[in-house]
mmCIF file of all heavy atoms in Angstrom:
data_model
loop_
_atom_site.group_PDB
_atom_site.id
_atom_site.type_symbol
_atom_site.label_atom_id
_atom_site.label_comp_id
_atom_site.label_asym_id
_atom_site.label_seq_id
_atom_site.Cartn_x
_atom_site.Cartn_y
_atom_site.Cartn_z
ATOM 1 N N GLN A 1 49.635 -72.579 -1.150
ATOM 2 C CA GLN A 1 50.072 -71.224 -1.022
ATOM 3 C C GLN A 1 49.156 -70.326 -1.769
ATOM 4 O O GLN A 1 48.659 -69.305 -1.243
ATOM 5 C CB GLN A 1 51.475 -71.090 -1.651
ATOM 6 C CG GLN A 1 51.987 -69.565 -1.495
ATOM 7 C CD GLN A 1 53.368 -69.377 -2.040
ATOM 8 O OE1 GLN A 1 53.906 -70.169 -2.807
ATOM 9 N NE2 GLN A 1 53.991 -68.331 -1.715
ATOM 10 N N ALA A 2 48.736 -70.727 -2.941
ATOM 11 C CA ALA A 2 47.688 -69.869 -3.765
ATOM 12 C C ALA A 2 46.373 -69.798 -2.948
ATOM 13 O O ALA A 2 45.826 -68.691 -3.037
ATOM 14 C CB ALA A 2 47.559 -70.511 -5.116
ATOM 15 N N ALA A 3 45.879 -70.847 -2.428
ATOM 16 C CA ALA A 3 44.680 -70.913 -1.697
ATOM 17 C C ALA A 3 44.694 -69.947 -0.553
ATOM 18 O O ALA A 3 43.762 -69.096 -0.235
ATOM 19 C CB ALA A 3 44.207 -72.327 -1.268
ATOM 20 N N VAL A 4 45.692 -70.019 0.276
ATOM 21 C CA VAL A 4 45.854 -69.260 1.497
ATOM 22 C C VAL A 4 45.961 -67.760 1.124
ATOM 23 O O VAL A 4 45.238 -66.886 1.557
ATOM 24 C CB VAL A 4 47.072 -69.653 2.277
ATOM 25 C CG1 VAL A 4 47.419 -68.541 3.393
ATOM 26 C CG2 VAL A 4 46.824 -71.050 2.950
ATOM 27 N N LEU A 5 46.887 -67.393 0.105
ATOM 28 C CA LEU A 5 47.010 -66.052 -0.275
ATOM 29 C C LEU A 5 45.727 -65.497 -0.932
ATOM 30 O O LEU A 5 45.323 -64.353 -0.751
ATOM 31 C CB LEU A 5 48.170 -65.899 -1.259
ATOM 32 C CG LEU A 5 49.540 -66.192 -0.672
ATOM 33 C CD1 LEU A 5 50.661 -66.031 -1.708
ATOM 34 C CD2 LEU A 5 49.851 -65.132 0.443
ATOM 35 N N GLY A 6 45.075 -66.275 -1.723
ATOM 36 C CA GLY A 6 43.810 -65.942 -2.374
ATOM 37 C C GLY A 6 42.720 -65.598 -1.366
ATOM 38 O O GLY A 6 42.028 -64.630 -1.492
ATOM 39 N N ALA A 7 42.525 -66.423 -0.363
ATOM 40 C CA ALA A 7 41.554 -66.265 0.620
ATOM 41 C C ALA A 7 41.846 -65.010 1.414
ATOM 42 O O ALA A 7 40.955 -64.293 1.770
ATOM 43 C CB ALA A 7 41.404 -67.400 1.653
ATOM 44 N N ALA A 8 43.130 -64.812 1.808
ATOM 45 C CA ALA A 8 43.498 -63.531 2.576
ATOM 46 C C ALA A 8 43.249 -62.302 1.685
ATOM 47 O O ALA A 8 42.567 -61.318 2.162
ATOM 48 C CB ALA A 8 44.938 -63.633 2.920
ATOM 49 N N LYS A 9 43.595 -62.393 0.462
ATOM 50 C CA LYS A 9 43.329 -61.191 -0.428
ATOM 51 C C LYS A 9 41.814 -60.880 -0.701
ATOM 52 O O LYS A 9 41.364 -59.760 -0.606
ATOM 53 C CB LYS A 9 43.974 -61.379 -1.854
ATOM 54 C CG LYS A 9 43.785 -60.215 -2.602
ATOM 55 C CD LYS A 9 44.596 -60.495 -4.090
ATOM 56 C CE LYS A 9 44.321 -59.176 -5.008
ATOM 57 N NZ LYS A 9 44.936 -59.292 -6.217
ATOM 58 N N ALA A 10 41.022 -61.939 -0.822
ATOM 59 C CA ALA A 10 39.558 -61.808 -1.010
ATOM 60 C C ALA A 10 39.011 -61.164 0.314
ATOM 61 O O ALA A 10 38.102 -60.410 0.228
ATOM 62 C CB ALA A 10 38.884 -63.136 -1.283
ATOM 63 N N THR A 11 39.395 -61.719 1.420
ATOM 64 C CA THR A 11 38.886 -61.167 2.772
ATOM 65 C C THR A 11 39.232 -59.717 2.916
ATOM 66 O O THR A 11 38.427 -58.898 3.330
ATOM 67 C CB THR A 11 39.374 -62.066 3.849
ATOM 68 O OG1 THR A 11 39.000 -63.420 3.654
ATOM 69 C CG2 THR A 11 38.801 -61.582 5.227
ATOM 70 N N ASN A 12 40.525 -59.400 2.585
ATOM 71 C CA ASN A 12 40.910 -57.923 2.604
ATOM 72 C C ASN A 12 40.046 -57.059 1.726
ATOM 73 O O ASN A 12 39.732 -55.887 2.104
ATOM 74 C CB ASN A 12 42.394 -57.758 2.459
ATOM 75 C CG ASN A 12 43.235 -58.253 3.513
ATOM 76 O OD1 ASN A 12 42.841 -58.391 4.582
ATOM 77 N ND2 ASN A 12 44.492 -58.715 3.240
ATOM 78 N N GLU A 13 39.816 -57.482 0.514
ATOM 79 C CA GLU A 13 39.008 -56.794 -0.351
ATOM 80 C C GLU A 13 37.543 -56.598 0.146
ATOM 81 O O GLU A 13 36.999 -55.573 0.051
ATOM 82 C CB GLU A 13 38.955 -57.428 -1.787
ATOM 83 C CG GLU A 13 40.318 -57.502 -2.483
ATOM 84 C CD GLU A 13 40.799 -56.062 -2.912
ATOM 85 O OE1 GLU A 13 39.882 -55.240 -3.189
ATOM 86 O OE2 GLU A 13 41.981 -55.849 -2.941
ATOM 87 N N TYR A 14 37.080 -57.676 0.795
ATOM 88 C CA TYR A 14 35.756 -57.610 1.380
ATOM 89 C C TYR A 14 35.668 -56.594 2.488
ATOM 90 O O TYR A 14 34.704 -55.693 2.524
ATOM 91 C CB TYR A 14 35.318 -58.968 1.944
ATOM 92 C CG TYR A 14 34.144 -59.043 2.742
ATOM 93 C CD1 TYR A 14 32.929 -59.129 2.141
ATOM 94 C CD2 TYR A 14 34.104 -58.938 4.095
ATOM 95 C CE1 TYR A 14 31.697 -59.101 2.756
ATOM 96 C CE2 TYR A 14 33.032 -59.001 4.879
ATOM 97 C CZ TYR A 14 31.766 -59.079 4.188
ATOM 98 O OH TYR A 14 30.601 -59.076 4.911
ATOM 99 N N VAL A 15 36.727 -56.526 3.342
ATOM 100 C CA VAL A 15 36.775 -55.528 4.397
ATOM 101 C C VAL A 15 36.883 -54.118 3.795
ATOM 102 O O VAL A 15 36.203 -53.148 4.217
ATOM 103 C CB VAL A 15 37.925 -55.943 5.355
ATOM 104 C CG1 VAL A 15 38.189 -54.713 6.304
ATOM 105 C CG2 VAL A 15 37.633 -57.140 6.048
ATOM 106 N N GLN A 16 37.726 -53.941 2.741
ATOM 107 C CA GLN A 16 37.834 -52.668 2.148
ATOM 108 C C GLN A 16 36.475 -52.248 1.550
ATOM 109 O O GLN A 16 36.161 -50.996 1.533
ATOM 110 C CB GLN A 16 38.910 -52.596 1.054
ATOM 111 C CG GLN A 16 40.357 -52.875 1.745
ATOM 112 C CD GLN A 16 40.794 -51.682 2.693
ATOM 113 O OE1 GLN A 16 40.489 -50.520 2.414
ATOM 114 N NE2 GLN A 16 41.219 -52.124 3.812
ATOM 115 N N GLY A 17 35.830 -53.174 0.961
ATOM 116 C CA GLY A 17 34.442 -52.799 0.334
ATOM 117 C C GLY A 17 33.456 -52.285 1.465
ATOM 118 O O GLY A 17 32.749 -51.415 1.286
ATOM 119 N N ASP A 18 33.525 -53.018 2.558
ATOM 120 C CA ASP A 18 32.683 -52.583 3.692
ATOM 121 C C ASP A 18 32.952 -51.243 4.274
ATOM 122 O O ASP A 18 32.139 -50.432 4.456
ATOM 123 C CB ASP A 18 32.782 -53.554 4.863
ATOM 124 C CG ASP A 18 31.830 -54.821 4.826
ATOM 125 O OD1 ASP A 18 31.092 -54.903 3.824
ATOM 126 O OD2 ASP A 18 31.912 -55.697 5.610
ATOM 127 N N LEU A 19 34.321 -51.006 4.313
ATOM 128 C CA LEU A 19 34.645 -49.622 4.770
ATOM 129 C C LEU A 19 34.322 -48.570 3.747
ATOM 130 O O LEU A 19 33.842 -47.497 4.135
ATOM 131 C CB LEU A 19 36.221 -49.694 4.993
ATOM 132 C CG LEU A 19 36.695 -50.463 6.150
ATOM 133 C CD1 LEU A 19 38.298 -50.504 6.151
ATOM 134 C CD2 LEU A 19 36.144 -49.982 7.484
ATOM 135 N N GLU A 20 34.455 -48.831 2.430
ATOM 136 C CA GLU A 20 34.049 -47.881 1.540
ATOM 137 C C GLU A 20 32.557 -47.573 1.489
ATOM 138 O O GLU A 20 32.030 -46.589 1.335
ATOM 139 C CB GLU A 20 34.496 -48.388 0.111
ATOM 140 C CG GLU A 20 34.305 -47.361 -1.008
ATOM 141 C CD GLU A 20 34.923 -47.741 -2.312
ATOM 142 O OE1 GLU A 20 35.738 -48.643 -2.341
ATOM 143 O OE2 GLU A 20 34.356 -47.263 -3.364
ATOM 144 N N ALA A 21 31.831 -48.754 1.531
ATOM 145 C CA ALA A 21 30.379 -48.559 1.725
ATOM 146 C C ALA A 21 29.995 -47.749 2.896
ATOM 147 O O ALA A 21 29.043 -46.791 2.812
ATOM 148 C CB ALA A 21 29.665 -49.907 1.769
ATOM 149 N N ALA A 22 30.590 -47.920 4.050
ATOM 150 C CA ALA A 22 30.274 -47.100 5.226
ATOM 151 C C ALA A 22 30.655 -45.691 5.095
ATOM 152 O O ALA A 22 29.910 -44.800 5.433
ATOM 153 C CB ALA A 22 31.012 -47.636 6.517
ATOM 154 N N LYS A 23 31.730 -45.347 4.360
ATOM 155 C CA LYS A 23 32.163 -44.037 4.114
ATOM 156 C C LYS A 23 31.220 -43.403 3.119
ATOM 157 O O LYS A 23 30.837 -42.190 3.451
ATOM 158 C CB LYS A 23 33.527 -44.099 3.451
ATOM 159 C CG LYS A 23 34.088 -42.681 3.111
ATOM 160 C CD LYS A 23 35.502 -42.824 2.482
ATOM 161 C CE LYS A 23 35.885 -41.500 2.025
ATOM 162 N NZ LYS A 23 37.148 -41.552 1.272
ATOM 163 N N ASN A 24 30.782 -44.148 2.129
ATOM 164 C CA ASN A 24 29.764 -43.569 1.210
ATOM 165 C C ASN A 24 28.431 -43.286 1.987
ATOM 166 O O ASN A 24 27.792 -42.225 1.652
ATOM 167 C CB ASN A 24 29.560 -44.553 0.004
ATOM 168 C CG ASN A 24 30.702 -44.478 -0.914
ATOM 169 O OD1 ASN A 24 31.540 -43.687 -0.872
ATOM 170 N ND2 ASN A 24 30.761 -45.603 -1.626
ATOM 171 N N ALA A 25 28.055 -44.054 2.789
ATOM 172 C CA ALA A 25 26.790 -43.985 3.567
ATOM 173 C C ALA A 25 26.888 -42.679 4.476
ATOM 174 O O ALA A 25 26.037 -41.895 4.647
ATOM 175 C CB ALA A 25 26.421 -45.223 4.468
ATOM 176 N N GLN A 26 28.113 -42.487 5.090
ATOM 177 C CA GLN A 26 28.313 -41.290 5.978
ATOM 178 C C GLN A 26 28.241 -40.009 5.094
ATOM 179 O O GLN A 26 27.602 -39.055 5.540
ATOM 180 C CB GLN A 26 29.536 -41.465 6.736
ATOM 181 C CG GLN A 26 29.554 -42.357 7.891
ATOM 182 C CD GLN A 26 30.895 -42.518 8.614
ATOM 183 O OE1 GLN A 26 31.937 -42.040 8.071
ATOM 184 N NE2 GLN A 26 30.876 -43.099 9.708
ATOM 185 N N ASN A 27 28.849 -40.105 3.880
ATOM 186 C CA ASN A 27 28.883 -38.903 3.068
ATOM 187 C C ASN A 27 27.471 -38.583 2.565
ATOM 188 O O ASN A 27 27.128 -37.419 2.457
ATOM 189 C CB ASN A 27 29.812 -39.191 1.908
ATOM 190 C CG ASN A 27 31.284 -39.143 2.266
ATOM 191 O OD1 ASN A 27 31.631 -38.652 3.396
ATOM 192 N ND2 ASN A 27 32.152 -39.700 1.417
ATOM 193 N N ALA A 28 26.721 -39.669 2.296
ATOM 194 C CA ALA A 28 25.335 -39.472 1.736
ATOM 195 C C ALA A 28 24.446 -38.855 2.974
ATOM 196 O O ALA A 28 23.711 -37.962 2.745
ATOM 197 C CB ALA A 28 24.711 -40.720 1.357
ATOM 198 N N ALA A 29 24.667 -39.285 4.172
ATOM 199 C CA ALA A 29 23.984 -38.759 5.392
ATOM 200 C C ALA A 29 24.323 -37.260 5.685
ATOM 201 O O ALA A 29 23.413 -36.514 6.116
ATOM 202 C CB ALA A 29 24.260 -39.519 6.542
ATOM 203 N N HIS A 30 25.497 -36.825 5.322
ATOM 204 C CA HIS A 30 25.872 -35.533 5.566
ATOM 205 C C HIS A 30 25.150 -34.562 4.514
ATOM 206 O O HIS A 30 24.914 -33.364 4.807
ATOM 207 C CB HIS A 30 27.343 -35.320 5.345
ATOM 208 C CG HIS A 30 28.222 -35.826 6.530
ATOM 209 N ND1 HIS A 30 28.143 -35.326 7.818
ATOM 210 C CD2 HIS A 30 29.018 -36.915 6.543
ATOM 211 C CE1 HIS A 30 28.990 -36.078 8.549
ATOM 212 N NE2 HIS A 30 29.518 -37.054 7.806
ATOM 213 N N GLY A 31 24.804 -35.106 3.425
ATOM 214 C CA GLY A 31 24.031 -34.337 2.414
ATOM 215 C C GLY A 31 22.569 -34.256 2.582
ATOM 216 O O GLY A 31 21.868 -33.405 1.828
ATOM 217 N N VAL A 32 22.092 -34.825 3.518
ATOM 218 C CA VAL A 32 20.577 -34.839 3.782
ATOM 219 C C VAL A 32 20.277 -33.629 4.592
ATOM 220 O O VAL A 32 20.816 -33.471 5.660
ATOM 221 C CB VAL A 32 20.179 -36.125 4.386
ATOM 222 C CG1 VAL A 32 18.721 -36.110 4.784
ATOM 223 C CG2 VAL A 32 20.428 -37.329 3.534
ATOM 224 N N ARG A 33 19.241 -32.893 4.160
ATOM 225 C CA ARG A 33 18.745 -31.732 4.937
ATOM 226 C C ARG A 33 17.732 -32.320 5.962
ATOM 227 O O ARG A 33 16.628 -32.716 5.560
ATOM 228 C CB ARG A 33 18.132 -30.738 4.105
ATOM 229 C CG ARG A 33 19.128 -29.995 3.238
ATOM 230 C CD ARG A 33 18.675 -28.894 2.498
ATOM 231 N NE ARG A 33 17.548 -28.140 3.181
ATOM 232 C CZ ARG A 33 16.402 -27.666 2.450
ATOM 233 N NH1 ARG A 33 16.343 -27.852 1.197
ATOM 234 N NH2 ARG A 33 15.539 -27.050 3.160
ATOM 235 N N LEU A 34 18.111 -32.224 7.231
ATOM 236 C CA LEU A 34 17.124 -32.821 8.308
ATOM 237 C C LEU A 34 15.829 -31.943 8.312
ATOM 238 O O LEU A 34 14.849 -32.544 8.564
ATOM 239 C CB LEU A 34 17.849 -32.827 9.624
ATOM 240 C CG LEU A 34 18.885 -33.864 9.694
ATOM 241 C CD1 LEU A 34 19.631 -33.840 11.022
ATOM 242 C CD2 LEU A 34 18.565 -35.227 9.437
ATOM 243 N N ASP A 35 15.970 -30.645 8.092
ATOM 244 C CA ASP A 35 14.733 -29.795 8.162
ATOM 245 C C ASP A 35 13.768 -30.209 7.053
ATOM 246 O O ASP A 35 12.488 -30.038 7.221
ATOM 247 C CB ASP A 35 15.094 -28.311 8.072
ATOM 248 C CG ASP A 35 15.777 -27.924 6.839
ATOM 249 O OD1 ASP A 35 16.509 -28.748 6.291
ATOM 250 O OD2 ASP A 35 15.589 -26.783 6.309
ATOM 251 N N ALA A 36 14.228 -30.736 5.864
ATOM 252 C CA ALA A 36 13.350 -31.173 4.795
ATOM 253 C C ALA A 36 12.611 -32.404 5.185
ATOM 254 O O ALA A 36 11.506 -32.726 4.735
ATOM 255 C CB ALA A 36 14.119 -31.314 3.582
ATOM 256 N N LEU A 37 13.256 -33.237 6.056
ATOM 257 C CA LEU A 37 12.670 -34.500 6.557
ATOM 258 C C LEU A 37 11.590 -34.285 7.735
ATOM 259 O O LEU A 37 10.942 -35.267 8.027
ATOM 260 C CB LEU A 37 13.666 -35.481 6.959
ATOM 261 C CG LEU A 37 14.600 -35.943 5.805
ATOM 262 C CD1 LEU A 37 15.704 -36.793 6.387
ATOM 263 C CD2 LEU A 37 13.842 -36.693 4.715
ATOM 264 N N LYS A 38 11.594 -33.125 8.277
ATOM 265 C CA LYS A 38 10.746 -32.900 9.378
ATOM 266 C C LYS A 38 9.329 -33.177 9.181
ATOM 267 O O LYS A 38 8.711 -33.823 10.050
ATOM 268 C CB LYS A 38 10.907 -31.363 9.827
ATOM 269 C CG LYS A 38 10.098 -30.961 11.118
ATOM 270 C CD LYS A 38 10.522 -29.627 11.525
ATOM 271 C CE LYS A 38 9.856 -28.637 10.679
ATOM 272 N NZ LYS A 38 10.133 -27.215 11.168
ATOM 273 N N ASP A 39 8.700 -32.862 8.069
ATOM 274 C CA ASP A 39 7.254 -33.123 7.841
ATOM 275 C C ASP A 39 7.083 -34.405 7.025
ATOM 276 O O ASP A 39 6.028 -34.617 6.752
ATOM 277 C CB ASP A 39 6.756 -31.903 7.110
ATOM 278 C CG ASP A 39 6.693 -30.626 7.992
ATOM 279 O OD1 ASP A 39 6.513 -30.861 9.210
ATOM 280 O OD2 ASP A 39 6.923 -29.499 7.459
ATOM 281 N N PHE A 40 8.156 -35.081 6.725
ATOM 282 C CA PHE A 40 8.005 -36.278 5.956
ATOM 283 C C PHE A 40 7.369 -37.412 6.769
ATOM 284 O O PHE A 40 7.706 -37.654 7.861
ATOM 285 C CB PHE A 40 9.400 -36.784 5.424
ATOM 286 C CG PHE A 40 9.343 -37.852 4.453
ATOM 287 C CD1 PHE A 40 9.012 -37.743 3.140
ATOM 288 C CD2 PHE A 40 9.750 -39.156 4.985
ATOM 289 C CE1 PHE A 40 8.822 -38.863 2.400
ATOM 290 C CE2 PHE A 40 9.601 -40.206 4.063
ATOM 291 C CZ PHE A 40 9.259 -40.036 2.708
ATOM 292 N N GLY A 41 6.448 -38.065 6.230
ATOM 293 C CA GLY A 41 5.813 -39.264 6.859
ATOM 294 C C GLY A 41 4.475 -38.926 7.595
ATOM 295 O O GLY A 41 3.982 -39.719 8.198
ATOM 296 N N GLY A 42 4.050 -37.828 7.271
ATOM 297 C CA GLY A 42 2.609 -37.497 7.857
ATOM 298 C C GLY A 42 2.644 -36.447 8.995
ATOM 299 O O GLY A 42 3.655 -35.838 9.257
#
């Protein structure tokens, strides 16, 4: 029982971490000024 519940909980935490990382990446992308990147790179 502990092994099954532990694996399920760990997987749920992993999925929640992925969702949180994706949310943080989207929030960071919203803060980027695209006009400032226009001349970046040469």
Side-chain angles (χ1 to χ4, degrees):
Q1 182 180 19
V4 169
L5 294 176
K9 183 177 180 182
T11 303
N12 286 335
E13 293 293 329
Y14 173 81
V15 169
Q16 291 303 315
D18 273 358
L19 293 174
E20 187 175 335
K23 180 181 173 185
N24 290 341
Q26 285 178 344
N27 289 341
H30 289 291
V32 174
R33 289 185 34 217
L34 295 177
D35 62 328
L37 294 175
K38 179 169 80 173
D39 292 329
F40 184 75

